Amino acid sequence: MQKHDWSEIVSSLVGRLPLRSFTVAALLTVAPFSAFLYGTREYVGIGDIWRYPAAAIGVVVALGICTSVVLGRSWGARVSVVLGWLIFALFWYRDIGSFNDRHLFSFAGISSELVWVLVLVIGSVVAYRITSKPRLLKAGLLFSLTMAVLPLVQYGVATVDNGTGPGAKLDTANVDQWESRPDIYYLVL
C-alpha cells in the first residue's frame, strides 16, 4: 500500500466516527471522578486517581470505535453515549437513594435499589434516543461538559486558595475519621 492509500483509509475511518457522541460519553465518564476529586480535595490529588478516569474513558471510546466500525456511525454513537451514562449514573447511587428516602419512600414505599434501576433504565433510553437528534445531543454535550468541568474548576480554586494543596491533611487524617465516605472511594481507591 502506498502512503496515499493509508490517508484515505484513515480519513474514511474518522468519517465513520461520531466524535460529538464520543465527547459526550467521555465527559459523562469523567464527571463522577471530578466530583469525587473536589469532594475529597483535602485527601486526594489528581495524581492519585488520574489512571481510573483515563482507563474508563479509553474503554468507552474503544467500544464506541469498534461499534462504529462494525455496525456503523449511529450505533457507535448510541453505544458510547449509553455507556457514558451508565458510568455516570453508577456512581450516584447514594444520592439517588437519599433522594428516594427523603421524597419518594414516604408516600410510594419504593426501595432505593428499584429507584436506582429505574433511573439507569430511563436514562439509558434517553441517552439512546438523544444521539439521533443533533439538538438534543448538543444539550447532552453541554450537560456533560458542566458536570465534568465545573468540579474541576472548583477543585482548582479550592486547592489554590487553600495554599496547602491536596494531600496536606492526609498524614494527620484517618479514613475512618471522615464524616461521610464517598461511594466512589471504595470502588476506585
Side-chain angles (χ1 to χ4, degrees):
M1 295 188 128
Q2 297 177 355
K3 186 176 183 178
H4 182 68
D5 294 337
W6 281 107
S7 65
E8 287 179 19
I9 291 171
V10 169
S11 68
S12 70
L13 282 177
V14 169
R16 290 185 64 138
L17 298 178
L19 298 179
R20 185 178 288 177
S21 297
F22 287 171
T23 305
V24 170
L27 289 171
L28 283 173
T29 302
V30 82
F33 295 99
S34 62
F36 170 74
L37 186 64
Y38 174 68
T40 58
R41 63 191 170 277
E42 294 89 12
Y43 308 105
V44 178
I46 292 175
D48 298 326
I49 67 167
W50 71 268
R51 293 179 301 275
Y52 305 108
I57 290 170
V59 168
V60 168
V61 170
L63 288 172
I65 289 172
C66 291
T67 306
S68 294
V69 169
V70 174
L71 299 175
R73 181 183 173 106
S74 65
W75 277 102
R78 290 175 180 144
V79 165
S80 61
V81 172
V82 168
L83 286 175
W85 162 255
L86 290 174
I87 291 172
F88 175 79
L90 178 71
F91 293 109
W92 302 111
Y93 170 76
R94 187 172 65 177
D95 297 325
I96 293 169
S98 68
F99 176 80
N100 178 52
D101 292 341
R102 279 184 276 149
H103 300 289
L104 297 177
F105 189 75
S106 61
F107 70 90
I110 302 172
S111 70
S112 296
E113 293 82 11
L114 181 61
V115 171
W116 186 61
V117 168
L118 287 173
V119 167
L120 283 176
V121 170
I122 291 169
S124 297
V125 169
V126 169
Y128 178 84
R129 299 252 176 167
I130 69 167
T131 57
S132 62
K133 296 178 177 46
R135 291 191 114 165
L136 291 178
L137 188 59
K138 190 180 286 187
L141 179 63
L142 292 174
F143 170 76
S144 61
L145 184 66
T146 302
M147 293 300 289
V149 173
L150 186 62
L152 291 177
V153 170
Q154 290 174 325
Y155 170 79
V157 170
T159 55
V160 168
D161 286 347
N162 190 9
T164 56
K169 298 180 186 176
L170 190 59
D171 297 334
T172 60
N174 186 356
V175 174
D176 295 327
Q177 296 172 348
W178 289 12
E179 290 178 20
S180 67
R181 297 180 187 180
D183 294 335
I184 195 172
Y185 177 78
Y186 292 103
L187 296 173
V188 174
L189 301 176

